[in-house]
Amino acid sequence: MFLAWRHADAAKEGEVSFNENYKVLWGSDHVQLLNQEKEVRLTLDPSSGAGIESKTMYGSGYFQMKIKLPEKNSIGAVTTFYLISHSNIHDEVDFEFLGNETTPYTLSTNIFINDGGGREQQFHLWFDPTKDFHSYSLLWNQHQIALFVDHVPIRVYKNKTILGAEYPTQPMYIDASLWHGDGWASGGKPIDWSQAPFNAYYKELSPIHACPLQDNTNTQHCHSSKFWWNGEKHWELNPQQQSSYEHVRKTYMFYDYCANNPTPLPEC
């Protein structure tokens, strides 16, 4: 049984239009705004996919989107929600949905630090994410990065720099995309374009509970405890979250880079 978590501040709604906080990054003719511009549809077909990005970068926060994934045989169609810096040596925290032939759907998570990735943990979702919207969230502070599905924690990456591990510190933008990951995301199977167009829907794009930044130089104030997500109770999972977290990893995780790395890693 899952014990889901949702912070009271993060539960406040108050939607605004897409253009208030986001812009189209690429594939503008494959982006459609719906529901008074409070929902966005990204489309993938043989000509293009599409991507969106926040207008502002952030130094910490709690980031959430509700997403409905492409239906039918979508193997090779990659739907994403992630944080990313704009530096040459970038940081990134990913939700990547790798398309599907049959249930259960595959969710791949990864963390890039100083342009280095290879930190994949992959899961089978315990529901069909093509039938309705589900919530995907990222909590990022100076103590941990926690990933949630429907407010259930599935992954935690602790700040263990004291042990020699790396940790994302660069300001990051919020991105989402739908693109052709043929081969890499499909185990070598070709995408079935007869199933196109593939559509991914995103909503609850705001409010954004995060610390905005104008440049890369003044990030320290984003670590302040005045922001609820930096509070001490968000430095680690609480006992209820920990119970759900352990259940997910035991039952639904099928790949862990820590377990598959022959050399012990400091963050593991």
Side-chain angles (χ1 to χ4, degrees):
M1 179 178 178
F2 289 124
L3 297 168
W5 163 90
R6 197 176 190 187
H7 191 277
D9 289 335
K12 294 178 182 177
E13 302 301 339
E15 285 287 286
V16 298
S17 70
F18 170 85
N19 291 308
E20 182 79 16
N21 293 317
Y22 290 89
K23 63 184 179 182
V24 177
L25 194 61
W26 59 282
S28 58
D29 58 343
H30 286 60
V31 179
Q32 183 176 5
L33 302 183
L34 307 169
N35 189 23
Q36 299 179 316
E37 300 189 348
K38 296 176 183 177
E39 182 178 324
V40 61
R41 183 183 73 190
L42 305 184
T43 297
L44 171 67
D45 60 28
S47 66
S48 182
I52 62 174
E53 184 172 76
S54 62
K55 294 180 178 179
T56 303
M57 58 184 173
Y58 302 93
S60 65
Y62 177 79
F63 309 88
Q64 175 181 292
M65 286 190 184
K66 285 192 172 180
I67 307 172
K68 183 180 178 183
L69 299 179
E71 296 180 317
K72 302 177 289 188
N73 176 7
S74 58
I75 192 93
V78 181
T79 306
T80 71
F81 164 45
Y82 59 104
L83 304 180
I84 187 169
S85 69
H86 277 193
S87 58
N88 290 331
I89 304 177
H90 79 289
D91 291 348
E92 184 175 336
V93 183
D94 296 331
F95 280 106
E96 294 181 311
F97 305 90
L98 302 186
N100 202 46
E101 283 184 295
T102 59
T103 55
Y105 217 98
T106 296
L107 166 61
S108 182
T109 68
N110 200 359
I111 297 174
F112 288 77
I113 306 169
N114 294 326
D115 219 30
R119 299 179 179 89
E120 291 93 349
Q121 291 182 351
Q122 296 180 326
F123 305 82
H124 291 310
L125 293 175
W126 52 92
F127 53 84
D128 185 347
T130 73
K131 300 303 182 185
D132 202 354
F133 286 91
H134 290 266
S135 174
Y136 304 93
S137 313
L138 295 157
L139 174 76
W140 172 38
N141 58 38
Q142 283 300 292
H143 299 272
Q144 68 171 347
I145 293 169
L147 280 62
F148 300 84
V149 174
D150 286 339
H151 313 294
V152 175
I154 66 165
R155 178 170 187 173
V156 174
Y157 187 88
K158 303 290 288 186
N159 186 342
K160 295 184 178 179
T161 53
I162 194 171
L163 301 178
E166 296 183 294
Y167 194 78
T169 58
Q170 300 180 67
M172 292 190 277
Y173 291 83
I174 310 166
D175 280 42
S177 63
L178 176 58
W179 54 280
H180 177 199
D182 198 4
W184 167 79
S186 60
K189 296 180 180 180
I191 195 167
D192 183 358
W193 290 117
S194 71
Q195 302 292 318
F198 303 102
N199 295 308
Y201 297 84
Y202 296 78
K203 68 178 184 179
E204 292 192 14
L205 307 177
S206 60
I208 298 172
H209 299 271
C211 175
L213 291 167
Q214 299 302 315
D215 56 53
N216 293 326
T217 60
N218 185 23
T219 61
Q220 192 61 37
H221 79 280
C222 287
H223 307 161
S224 170
S225 60
K226 73 178 182 180
F227 299 116
W228 67 259
W229 54 87
N230 291 333
E232 187 172 355
K233 67 179 180 179
H234 299 296
W235 293 3
E236 59 186 12
L237 300 182
N238 64 38
Q240 290 183 327
Q241 291 173 319
Q242 186 68 31
S243 176
S244 292
Y245 173 71
E246 291 172 0
H247 175 71
V248 166
R249 296 176 69 79
K250 179 180 179 180
T251 309
Y252 299 105
M253 185 172 70
F254 64 91
Y255 178 82
D256 178 12
Y257 80 106
C258 285
N260 285 270
N261 198 307
T263 304
L265 300 172
E267 68 266 28
C268 297

